[in-house]
Amino acid sequence: MILLWQTQQSLQHVVQLYATQARQAVDLTRDIELLQRRSRDLERLVRQYNIIKNAQLQGLISQQLQQVLQSLNNLCDQAPQQTLCEQLKDTLARLDENSDENTLSLYFAGLSQQLNEFETLAAEQLDASLASQQLQVSDMQSRLTWQTLALVLTTVLMVWGGSQLILGPVQQLRNLINAIGTRDKALPLRRFEHPYELAQLDTRLRWLAFRLQELESVRHAMLRHASHELKTPLASLSEGCALLADEVVGELSTSQREVVGLLNDSVRRMQNLVEELLDYNRLLQDAESRPVQLAIAPFLDEVLTSHRLTAAQQHQQIDYQIEAQNWLVDKNLLTRVMDNLLNNAVAYGLQDSTIVLRIWNDENHQMLQVTNACQSTQSLDPKRLLEPFERGGQERNDGRRGSGLGLSIVADCVRMMGGKLDIVAAGSGEFSVLVSIPMHRERV
């Protein structure tokens, strides 16, 4: 707006300059023509008087001479040429209408020459004035250009400063949202009080984080109590089903044995689900990673020992490739990751197939990949598979109904170690889970 105001003021000034110049040029041209015309009229009257010697013409000559002097005075005021003006006035004062023809001819020739010189000087003065105005306009244009540049730079600096005042709090809000999303107990401190709206948003987000922590605590407590309360009646049901199956209370018919078998399967499934819920709840409560130096080969042999028999029952083989000697990780969390990944690979992998496990280091990350062949994976959504209780719609090889907590537990364990989990489900039926864990610099 300052620039627009300055531009308008400059434009008005330029218009006034050129309007004044044009008016002066018009007035000067008109007065010079009037002076020339009156001088010619004066010359005609004098020559007439010189011939007929009429007293009336003498009065007209005096009147015309006064008009010529008046026009000259007006021109001298507009285009002051003092020396030439004085010469013209002196020439007009020496007019003698009674002179002979030759004298008059010489007189009016000299007067005409002086008038032409006066007109030339007035035109030169008008051109000089126009050139001066053009210099003023150029100077005004240059000044306006520099003012424009200064205003643009000032505006850029103000915009940059204003954006910094906003981007800083926005970045802190982004960090706060990330901390809330990752369930970080230590929220970043607020280092700004303005803008007021963003400060209020920060306050509401911290209130939301507090409420989420309260709800999470309530959820964990409810899950823990519900799981513990279920264990006792389930143990009684399991013991009762075992007594019935052993026919301790009497011989069972074929139909009764089938019913008891169904009850046993349901109770075992319920017990497994309760154990998985308790395990998942303990995992969520223990949200700290304790990295130690871990030898990969002995650790892998220990983990695979409990899975080879289950894989053999499904006519599956487990091959592994170790390209790293030692890792700096939380052993308990890594054990949970590998147990759940191998359980899923055995449960959902095709029979007579091979489960491939690979461990290696990639720059600053420790990489783990488990790949198995399975049914068509076109309908699987990798993101949804990481949600708790999401089963993916695939049938298990053992006929059991999974809880859908396996990959969710893996994702939480990887997150606690600061890592990243990716699922690659190829349409051809290959399912691969890639775990990337950063190399920790400090060891516990």
Side-chain angles (χ1 to χ4, degrees):
M1 294 201 50
I2 293 175
L3 182 60
L4 288 175
W5 178 80
Q6 289 181 338
T7 303
Q8 183 182 7
Q9 294 296 318
S10 300
L11 182 61
Q12 289 179 354
H13 183 63
V14 170
V15 170
Q16 290 177 357
L17 281 177
Y18 279 101
T20 303
Q21 181 69 24
R23 185 65 183 176
Q24 290 177 353
V26 170
D27 292 343
L28 183 61
T29 302
R30 184 186 61 194
D31 290 342
I32 288 176
E33 290 180 353
L34 181 60
L35 178 61
Q36 293 281 9
R37 186 173 66 252
R38 287 178 175 178
S39 298
R40 289 192 296 269
D41 292 342
L42 177 62
E43 181 180 1
R44 186 176 63 254
L45 290 172
V46 170
R47 289 186 183 278
Q48 289 177 358
Y49 176 78
N50 187 260
I51 295 173
I52 61 176
K53 301 297 183 179
N54 190 334
Q56 185 177 2
L57 288 175
Q58 192 174 17
L60 292 175
I61 290 172
S62 299
Q63 184 179 358
Q64 188 67 30
L65 181 60
Q66 292 300 321
Q67 292 180 354
V68 171
L69 288 172
Q70 181 181 359
S71 298
L72 180 60
N73 289 330
N74 291 336
L75 280 172
C76 290
D77 292 338
Q78 295 182 37
Q81 300 292 337
Q82 297 299 325
T83 302
L84 192 54
C85 286
E86 293 299 329
Q87 291 177 359
L88 280 170
K89 291 178 181 179
D90 183 63
T91 300
L92 291 172
R94 289 186 289 103
L95 176 63
D96 185 5
E97 63 271 17
N98 295 315
S99 301
D100 57 28
E101 183 67 23
N102 292 331
T103 304
L104 289 175
S105 296
L106 292 174
Y107 173 82
F108 282 110
L111 180 61
S112 177
Q113 183 179 358
Q114 289 179 343
L115 288 174
N116 291 333
E117 291 178 2
F118 186 86
E119 181 179 1
T120 302
L121 290 176
E124 291 177 354
Q125 184 175 350
L126 185 63
D127 292 339
S129 177
L130 181 61
S132 176
Q133 290 183 0
Q134 289 178 345
L135 289 176
Q136 292 182 22
V137 171
S138 298
D139 181 68
M140 187 183 305
Q141 183 180 5
S142 177
R143 185 170 63 254
L144 187 61
T145 301
W146 284 108
Q147 289 177 351
T148 301
L149 181 59
L151 285 172
V152 169
L153 291 177
T154 303
T155 303
V156 170
L157 291 176
M158 291 177 64
V159 170
W160 180 81
S163 63
Q164 293 301 312
L165 290 176
I166 296 176
L167 289 178
V170 168
Q171 181 62 40
Q172 294 185 39
L173 289 175
R174 185 185 295 113
N175 295 335
L176 177 60
I177 292 173
N178 291 336
I180 294 174
T182 55
R183 291 179 287 189
D184 192 350
K185 293 182 179 179
L187 297 179
L189 298 177
R190 186 170 75 185
R191 298 184 178 87
F192 67 94
E193 296 298 333
H194 301 284
Y196 175 77
E197 293 78 6
L198 295 182
Q200 288 294 105
L201 179 59
D202 182 271
T203 302
R204 300 303 296 173
L205 285 174
R206 293 179 185 277
W207 173 82
L208 177 61
F210 176 74
R211 289 292 299 153
L212 289 176
Q213 290 178 359
E214 286 186 338
L215 294 175
E216 191 72 8
S217 300
V218 172
R219 185 173 70 91
H220 291 166
M222 184 184 67
L223 186 61
R224 182 175 61 255
H225 292 313
S227 301
H228 280 292
E229 291 297 328
L230 287 173
K231 287 186 67 176
T232 300
L234 282 175
S236 300
L237 286 174
S238 178
E239 184 177 355
C241 290
L243 292 175
L244 289 175
D246 294 338
E247 299 183 347
V248 174
V249 294
E251 186 177 356
L252 302 176
S253 64
T254 303
S255 299
Q256 290 173 336
R257 288 193 183 91
E258 292 179 357
V259 173
V260 171
L262 292 175
L263 289 175
N264 270 324
D265 291 340
S266 298
V267 169
R268 280 196 299 270
R269 214 164 35 242
M270 205 56 185
Q271 286 177 329
N272 290 333
L273 178 59
V274 170
E275 291 296 332
E276 289 181 354
L277 287 174
L278 289 173
D279 187 61
Y280 182 65
N281 191 58
R282 285 193 298 269
L283 175 64
L284 293 179
Q285 289 181 333
D286 186 15
E288 294 184 1
S289 174
R290 300 177 178 85
V292 296
Q293 194 71 26
L294 183 65
I296 294 299
F299 169 76
L300 189 59
D301 287 337
E302 179 183 346
V303 172
L304 292 179
T305 299
S306 59
H307 294 280
R308 284 196 176 98
L309 180 60
T310 307
Q313 293 176 352
Q314 302 297 329
H315 306 285
Q316 296 171 340
Q317 294 182 351
I318 300 178
D319 290 344
Y320 57 89
Q321 302 173 10
I322 302 178
E323 303 174 17
Q325 295 182 353
N326 297 291
W327 271 13
L328 193 59
V329 291
D330 188 306
K331 181 179 179 180
N332 293 329
L333 293 178
L334 185 60
T335 302
R336 290 173 183 267
V337 169
M338 298 193 68
D339 281 340
N340 281 281
L341 290 180
L342 290 173
N343 279 333
N344 276 358
V346 172
Y348 294 100
L350 297 178
Q351 293 188 355
D352 300 318
S353 64
T354 301
I355 300 171
V356 180
L357 188 149
R358 183 187 173 199
I359 295 177
W360 77 99
N361 291 333
D362 181 15
E363 295 182 355
N364 296 324
H365 290 82
Q366 303 164 139
M367 311 297 293
L368 165 65
Q369 185 176 26
V370 178
T371 305
N372 65 279
C374 60
Q375 301 174 4
S376 176
T377 57
Q378 292 181 352
S379 60
L380 295 179
D381 184 357
K383 294 182 179 180
R384 287 183 57 84
L385 290 176
L386 300 180
E387 297 294 330
F389 307 106
E390 179 62 35
R391 300 183 180 90
Q394 301 288 333
E395 294 184 1
R396 294 173 60 98
N397 294 326
D398 53 9
R400 294 170 51 193
R401 182 175 176 84
S403 63
L405 290 173
L407 288 178
S408 178
I409 292 176
V410 172
D412 285 330
C413 290
V414 172
R415 175 184 56 79
M416 292 176 190
M417 291 186 288
K420 179 182 178 182
L421 183 144
D422 292 314
I423 295 178
V424 180
S428 58
E430 185 178 272
F431 189 86
S432 178
V433 178
L434 178 63
V435 175
S436 173
I437 303 172
M439 296 181 181
H440 299 279
R441 295 184 180 274
E442 297 182 0
R443 196 174 39 172
V444 177

